[in-house]
Amino acid sequence: MKLKKRAKILIFLITIIVIGIIVFLVYKNFFGKNETEGAKVINSIEDYGYTLKDNKNEKYKSMFEELKKVLEKDKVDYDKYAETISKMFIYDFFSLDDKMAKNDIGGVDFIHPDALSNFLENAESTYYKYVESNIYGNRNQKLPMVDEVKVGEIKTTEFAVGDKNVDDAYEIEVEWTYTEEDFNDYQSSGKLIIVKDGKKLHIVELTK
């Protein structure tokens, strides 16, 4: 009788283990596919620290290639450099439909390191505040995408970064449109201040 009871207990334990394995495999196959993997770097401009990840759309990838051509010339045209990152920043920051969540802030590659923390905090509490998570690809929320960005006159200026006055700075007027008319009442123009730090340009301010 004891052997029969032990056999029953053993069979019961084996059954529980088998069921557990089956449940795990089913979950992994059907639900694990929805889990997002980290975006991979597919291109870079090493001397300037810019990287391009595979989750960016074709339009942004094209702009990255344009930036790469500008920066790989023997003599960098800084007006063209400023113009290109202005377009890239506006496109990436104000396009929300391609973002995974409210903390997936666009345009951070071009923000001055000293201003980055404040920039992220402000973005997440304002423009990105109501962006729903799309980690599992099931978001139904309608969000804007930038269509075209136009850069106006590029003016040289001075700008104070902390307690340091920067002589090599640019003031740039920008205007942009959205792919759908539903977002025509969203911000569509502004002024960027860009400063030069060594050989690299950084955005320090965006105003309406």
Side-chain angles (χ1 to χ4, degrees), residues 28-113:
K28 186 176 180 181
N29 287 333
F30 287 92
F31 296 97
K33 290 179 181 178
N34 287 329
E35 294 179 5
T36 56
E37 297 180 359
K40 297 176 182 178
V41 174
I42 57 173
N43 203 347
S44 63
I45 308 172
E46 294 182 4
D47 290 344
Y48 291 82
Y50 296 123
T51 58
L52 175 67
K53 294 183 178 179
D54 61 0
N55 60 345
K56 295 298 184 183
N57 62 27
E58 292 305 315
K59 191 163 187 174
Y60 189 86
K61 289 176 182 177
S62 177
M63 288 190 282
F64 189 89
E65 287 295 335
E66 182 182 348
L67 177 62
K68 192 169 186 176
K69 289 177 182 178
V70 170
L71 297 180
E72 287 184 342
K73 290 185 177 181
D74 293 336
K75 186 176 181 180
V76 174
D77 181 340
Y78 275 87
D79 282 1
K80 187 65 176 177
Y81 180 7
E83 177 186 343
T84 305
I85 66 170
S86 295
K87 288 181 178 179
M88 294 176 73
F89 170 77
I90 294 298
Y91 182 83
D92 198 25
F93 179 78
F94 286 96
S95 293
L96 297 181
D97 194 50
D98 60 343
K99 304 304 186 293
M100 298 304 296
K102 68 176 184 178
N103 60 352
D104 182 14
I105 311 298
V108 296
D109 289 349
F110 309 110
I111 300 297
H112 194 287

Side-chain angles (χ1 to χ4, degrees), residues 4 22 26 39 122 187:
K4 286 183 179 179
I22 292 172
V26 168
N122 287 339
Q187 183 178 351

